[in-house]
Amino acid sequence: MAEQADSILGRNIQQIDWVSRLSTILLCCMMLFSIVSVPDFNRTGTVAAGTDHVNPINRFVWLGLLSMALPLIRARWVQVLRLMKASWLLIGLFLYFTCSTTWALDPAISTRRVMFAWIEIILAVTLTCTMRDRKYLLKYIFISCMVAAIADLIVWILMPGYAMTSEGLAGVQSQKNVTGLIMMYGLLAGGPLLLYRPPKRERYRIIAGMVLLFLLLLASRSKTCLGIILVTPVTLLLFIKLTHSRMSLSVAIIVSLLAIFTCTIFGYFLWCEAENISPFALFQDMTFTSRTDLWSFMLEEIQKRPLFGAGFYSFWSIDPSVQPSLKTSMWFGSEAHINEAHDGYLDLLATGGAIGFVWGMAVIVRTFVLAIDALARTSRPNPATPTVMSYPLACFHICFLFALCIHNFTESNLFCNNGMLAVALYFSIFDLEYWQKNDDHPPVQQAST
């Protein structure tokens, strides 16, 4: 009996070993491809009517990654199904998005986009169930962003006229906002990596990498991403104080912040009254880089399909004969290549309708609540013991979700099919759901940093 038990234990250890190795390799490949992708070196698109050019290599890579994950799914199919069941809110949302392809403005493109969203979801849930140490998630995010940063730096040196556009550094990306987004994502992962207290040499490498990411973020002139990076540390400290303070102190902090905000608004209106100035004069000339034109157009289009929307990402860059932007005489109808509303919430409302918007917001709110709970209940990781959820990882999830919500006021990447942020959001959702499903420990009082 003892020999039989030892044999079974040996087989289990061997299975865990190959599952962990394959999961690590697949995670590295998935992060590298979703962040770095395949450079196109083509920025000549000027007409909004055309559909997005899709590199066929992208399709083969995603399908290849899915085929690599099949052995992992077979080895952990029970855990995968349980996690998908626990994440019913997200799965239900994409089932609704899948149904929306039947009434989409362009059913073919909508179906293709939702199919690749499902591939990303399956890969994210599989890797979440097979990763032994979540530190690798942050590490590969940071490494992938560093690879993209080094590639941008090399192209900037060798091809300065191509890399540096009139709006900012684009590098090998299609535009400067994508470059800024990658640098922001890398910085959000690099900070929590330092909380793992790595050895001195590794710590210096992380800091040097973060300096490069920040410098390229400045060069990209992506104001939204830069603002998020500057505000995120303060926001994280506020969350830490609230989650590790007594209830009375937390309530006092929240009430104080609301009081300061109310007094500021009230004082502004009093000043406007005293100076005989319209309170809205400050905002009348603000266009947010001509975004207000797009937003006005989107609100008109949303009213045409208020309940169910235009179908999953079946609004921009679709069949020219049905593309809504052709119906307008404004500048984005023919003068520029626009493939988003530069507001993720408006795009979600336009493509998913009121149902998809409310459902999507419910997913974000639940994930935020889980991240705050994880921040309050987790402790610092033990280097000798791989952990499912740790304090640094909880910090990353909070920072990423905060950045995602703020970023979508001026850019559009909420439940989208653009690779990097879609993969990032799925990993955060599944990782927090996995922790909540398996966590049965009491809250840990973690000292603030």
Side-chain angles (χ1 to χ4, degrees):
M1 290 292 292
E3 293 178 358
Q4 185 178 3
D6 290 341
S7 176
I8 294 174
L9 180 60
R11 286 198 300 270
N12 289 338
I13 293 174
Q14 186 177 11
Q15 185 190 43
I16 291 173
D17 194 38
W18 76 259
V19 167
S20 177
R21 286 201 301 268
L22 180 57
S23 177
T24 302
I25 294 171
L26 184 56
L27 176 65
C28 179
C29 294
M30 186 176 178
M31 284 300 169
L32 276 171
F33 181 70
S34 64
I35 293 174
V36 180
S37 191
V38 180
D40 195 2
F41 294 101
N42 178 25
R43 299 189 187 126
T44 59
T46 57
V47 181
T51 58
D52 276 344
H53 168 70
V54 178
N55 193 328
I57 296 177
N58 292 346
R59 302 177 185 178
F60 288 117
V61 171
W62 281 114
L63 292 173
L65 292 173
L66 180 62
S67 64
M68 286 177 60
L70 293 179
L72 297 177
I73 296 173
R74 184 176 181 275
R76 294 287 186 272
W77 67 274
V78 174
Q79 292 90 329
V80 169
L81 289 178
R82 286 177 179 172
L83 181 54
M84 292 187 75
K85 183 179 178 181
S87 309
W88 62 271
L89 204 56
L90 175 69
I91 300 302
L93 175 64
F94 274 89
L95 287 174
Y96 169 75
F97 285 153
T98 303
C99 294
S100 74
T101 60
T102 59
W103 63 76
L105 294 179
D106 190 337
I109 286 184
S110 182
T111 301
R112 188 195 73 204
R113 290 172 177 172
V114 81
M115 180 187 71
F116 283 102
W118 277 114
I119 290 176
E120 293 168 355
I121 287 173
I122 293 171
L123 287 170
V125 71
T126 302
L127 291 174
T128 302
C129 293
T130 53
M131 273 189 291
R132 291 189 64 192
D133 193 343
R134 294 300 194 272
K135 182 181 178 182
Y136 286 109
L137 178 61
L138 295 180
K139 184 176 290 187
Y140 288 139
I141 291 172
F142 184 73
I143 291 174
S144 300
C145 292
M146 281 300 304
V147 171
I150 293 171
D152 288 340
L153 185 61
I154 293 174
V155 172
W156 193 8
I157 294 172
L158 299 179
M159 304 167 60
Y162 174 81
M164 180 59 76
T165 67
S166 59
E167 296 177 337
L169 178 67
V172 299
Q173 279 68 241
S174 59
Q175 55 170 305
K176 59 102 175 180
N177 286 333
V178 179
T179 302
L181 196 60
I182 292 174
M183 304 309 143
M184 180 192 76
Y185 193 33
L187 289 168
L188 292 177
L193 274 177
L194 293 174
L195 297 179
Y196 279 95
R197 297 178 180 176
K200 184 181 294 185
R201 186 173 298 179
E202 183 180 352
R203 184 164 64 249
Y204 289 155
R205 285 198 294 263
I206 295 174
I207 293 174
M210 292 180 68
V211 171
L212 175 61
L213 291 171
F214 186 74
L215 291 177
L216 293 183
L217 175 58
L218 290 176
S220 72
R221 302 178 202 166
S222 181
K223 304 180 190 67
T224 305
C225 293
L226 180 60
I228 289 171
I229 286 299
L230 296 177
V231 171
T232 296
V234 178
T235 306
L236 178 61
L237 288 175
L238 177 62
F239 275 115
I240 291 173
K241 290 294 184 183
L242 291 175
T243 54
H244 296 98
S245 302
R246 296 189 306 272
M247 180 61 71
S248 57
L249 181 58
S250 300
V251 172
I253 293 174
I254 295 174
V255 170
S256 299
L257 290 175
L258 290 175
I260 292 172
F261 177 76
T262 304
C263 290
T264 302
I265 297 297
F266 184 67
Y268 172 72
F269 276 97
L270 287 178
W271 177 78
C272 290
E273 180 70 22
E275 297 292 329
N276 196 23
I277 299 175
S278 171
F280 304 103
L282 181 64
F283 308 101
Q284 286 175 354
D285 297 327
M286 294 179 66
T287 64
F288 294 94
T289 323
S290 299
R291 284 177 170 87
T292 51
D293 294 338
L294 280 168
W295 297 342
S296 299
F297 167 72
M298 289 296 292
L299 291 174
E300 294 177 1
E301 290 294 320
I302 288 169
Q303 293 175 7
K304 298 177 182 178
R305 315 165 194 88
L307 191 59
F308 298 105
F312 181 74
Y313 276 81
S314 176
F315 191 89
W316 300 102
S317 299
I318 58 176
D319 186 347
S321 64
V322 297
Q323 183 154 345
S325 64
L326 292 179
K327 309 296 192 300
T328 179
S329 60
M330 302 183 77
W331 60 268
F332 52 85
S334 58
E335 299 176 11
H337 178 72
I338 298 296
N339 59 0
E340 62 174 69
H342 286 280
D343 187 293
Y345 304 103
L346 287 179
D347 267 334
L348 180 61
L349 190 55
T351 57
I355 295 175
F357 179 80
V358 173
W359 206 329
M361 290 300 97
V363 173
I364 296 297
V365 170
R366 172 171 171 78
T367 308
F368 233 123
V369 170
L370 289 177
I372 294 173
D373 190 32
L375 190 67
R377 294 166 61 88
T378 53
S379 59
R380 293 193 181 277
N382 182 358
T385 307
T387 55
V388 171
M389 179 67 68
S390 60
Y391 184 66
L393 189 58
C395 290
F396 167 76
H397 288 316
I398 283 283
C399 293
F400 168 72
L401 291 169
F402 171 77
L404 181 72
C405 292
I406 298 300
H407 194 261
N408 273 276
F409 281 108
T410 56
E411 300 295 336
S412 182
N413 38 55
L414 196 62
F415 300 110
C416 62
N417 197 31
N418 68 346
M420 181 181 69
L421 282 188
V423 170
L425 179 58
Y426 302 149
F427 268 111
S428 285
I429 292 173
F430 287 126
D431 195 36
L432 289 165
E433 292 285 0
Y434 186 90
W435 168 78
Q436 194 270 342
K437 178 177 174 292
N438 294 279
D439 181 65
D440 55 0
H441 301 290
V444 177
Q445 292 298 321
Q446 173 66 45
S448 65
T449 56

